Amino acid sequence: MNNSSYSLTFLILALVLIVCILANLSLGSVAIPIKDVIASLVGSEVSKSSWEYIILDYRLPKTITAIIAGSGLAVSGLLMQTLFRNPLAGPFVLGISSGASLGVALYILGGTALGLSTALLSGKWGLIIAASAGSFLVLLMVIGVATRVKDTMALLIIGLMVGSLTSAVVSVLAYFSKAEELQRFVFWSFGSLGDLSWSGVGILALCFAVGLILSIASLKSLDSFLLGDAYARTLGTRFSRSRLLIIIATSLLAGSITAFAGPIAFIGLAVPHLIRQVIKTTRHIILLPAVIMGGAILMLICDTIAQVPFSEFTLPINAISAMVGAPVVIWLLVRKKKLLF
């Protein structure tokens, strides 16, 4: 593809993203006309004052959270698939999501199983802090292992083992917990994009920005990793430093998103593959912005479906992301015979 083809593809992605944003803001239990959505965003007069409140105080923070979560998970998936040169690698192969789940499990379920009290750290922020602490502890462990283990595949296996270990601890905690505590943990595991205030969105956006800057700083290293570890070293890539930078970027993105929105599967795994079907290049300077836009689009579509327009029901975003995305990847595999990588 030449530069004009890339420009056309990015233009189409941008237009689809704008349409998805407007649809996400417009649809829900209360249907709001697009013209009133735009009027609210630009500060003009809206037909009903309640619509302006719904858009600015509830739907807009949720839409921005969806954009950040989709983009961040998609970028994390791209980084992991390139680092491990494995098309099945996703943002959670390092155990970051499992660490967040363990932190929340200790917070919610530990009160009964370990005789701990959560009275000092109650509410939504308690969940966020517990998930962040779990992700951060796993991050520290992964960084420590990464500085000692030189084999990238060994690091991948260690990450999977960390995930299995934390899942086992969560299962033990769940076994000894009360029914209401177990229900609360299960609801957290469904994932949610609509529980954040503007201050929460601001903190999440800051974590996303730092992770994205580190990802951009790794673009040249990512291109060289696709050629193999030995060849990357001959090109002058500082292998250990670059690998550590990519791991920190992924941990920041996936860890913060899991802490604020819960575990959201599939987006990080599928979006890089979907984008590679549209943009056939291995240059990460082109793939990265396309993956950012693709992740945001897919997450907005999933969230719009999860809202169940014109009804009072809201479905788990974690389930919808898999139900919408998995058939798409299966169709691509059947049509293309193999994933481009």
Side-chain angles (χ1 to χ4, degrees):
M1 294 180 72
N2 52 36
N3 291 334
S4 60
S5 299
Y6 291 138
S7 301
L8 178 61
T9 303
F10 278 110
L11 179 61
I12 293 173
L13 286 173
L15 292 174
V16 173
L17 179 60
I18 292 172
V19 170
C20 289
I21 290 173
L22 292 175
N24 189 260
L25 290 170
S26 173
L27 298 176
S29 57
V30 177
I32 300 175
I34 294 293
K35 63 181 181 63
D36 287 300
V37 171
I38 296 174
S40 295
L41 296 177
V42 300
S44 301
E45 185 177 353
V46 182
S47 302
K48 295 182 180 179
S49 59
S50 60
W51 288 354
E52 185 175 13
Y53 172 77
I54 291 173
I55 291 173
L56 296 182
D57 290 342
Y58 177 71
R59 291 188 183 176
L60 188 56
K62 185 167 67 66
T63 299
I64 294 174
T65 303
I67 292 172
I68 293 174
S71 302
L73 292 174
V75 170
S76 300
L78 177 66
L79 296 180
M80 290 294 95
Q81 289 172 10
T82 299
L83 177 63
F84 294 115
R85 295 193 298 281
N86 187 330
L88 294 178
F92 300 132
V93 295
L94 296 177
I96 304 300
S97 176
S98 301
S101 297
L102 179 61
V104 173
L106 286 171
Y107 171 71
I108 296 176
L109 309 178
T112 298
L114 303 177
L116 302 175
S117 172
T118 58
L120 296 177
L121 200 63
S122 61
K124 180 182 61 181
W125 282 101
L127 283 175
I128 293 173
I129 292 172
S132 301
S135 299
F136 185 68
L137 288 176
V138 172
L139 166 63
L140 289 180
M141 190 189 72
V142 169
I143 291 174
V145 171
T147 57
R148 297 174 64 87
V149 176
K150 303 303 179 187
D151 188 347
T152 303
M153 284 302 152
L155 185 62
L156 174 62
I157 294 172
I158 289 172
L160 293 174
M161 293 303 103
V162 170
S164 299
L165 180 62
T166 54
S167 296
V169 175
V170 171
S171 297
V172 172
L173 290 171
Y175 182 79
F176 289 103
S177 64
K178 297 177 181 177
E180 56 268 26
E181 294 172 338
L182 188 58
Q183 184 185 43
R184 191 180 174 199
F185 178 75
V186 170
F187 272 107
W188 175 83
S189 68
F190 286 160
S192 175
L193 301 172
D195 290 339
L196 290 187
S197 62
W198 277 112
S199 59
V201 173
I203 297 172
L204 179 60
L206 179 62
C207 296
F208 173 76
V210 175
L212 193 59
I213 290 171
L214 294 177
S215 303
I216 293 172
S218 305
L219 288 177
K220 186 177 178 182
S221 302
L222 289 167
D223 287 344
S224 64
F225 283 162
L226 288 177
L227 303 174
D229 297 355
Y231 200 81
R233 288 189 176 94
T234 63
L235 292 177
T237 302
R238 298 172 65 182
F239 191 80
S240 297
R241 177 182 172 276
S242 300
R243 189 177 65 166
L244 188 60
L245 200 63
I246 292 170
I247 290 173
I248 293 174
T250 302
S251 301
L252 264 176
L253 291 170
S256 60
I257 291 168
T258 305
F260 281 84
I264 299 175
F266 184 78
I267 300 292
L269 172 65
V271 170
H273 291 302
L274 294 172
I275 290 298
R276 288 190 186 98
Q277 301 294 328
V278 179
I279 299 179
K280 295 177 173 55
T281 181
T282 57
R283 296 171 60 196
H284 285 79
I285 194 170
I286 296 171
L287 285 175
L288 186 71
V291 161
I292 290 173
M293 298 171 78
I297 290 170
L298 186 57
M299 184 60 84
L300 286 169
I301 292 173
C302 292
D303 183 54
T304 303
I305 295 173
Q307 290 178 153
V308 192
F310 315 113
S311 81
E312 296 179 354
F313 296 102
T314 301
L315 300 176
I317 187 67
N318 198 3
I320 297 300
S321 63
M323 291 172 64
V324 170
V328 175
V329 171
I330 292 172
W331 174 75
L332 287 172
L333 278 169
V334 172
R335 179 169 169 262
K336 296 286 186 179
K337 306 299 182 186
K338 68 174 186 177
L339 291 174
L340 297 175
F341 189 71

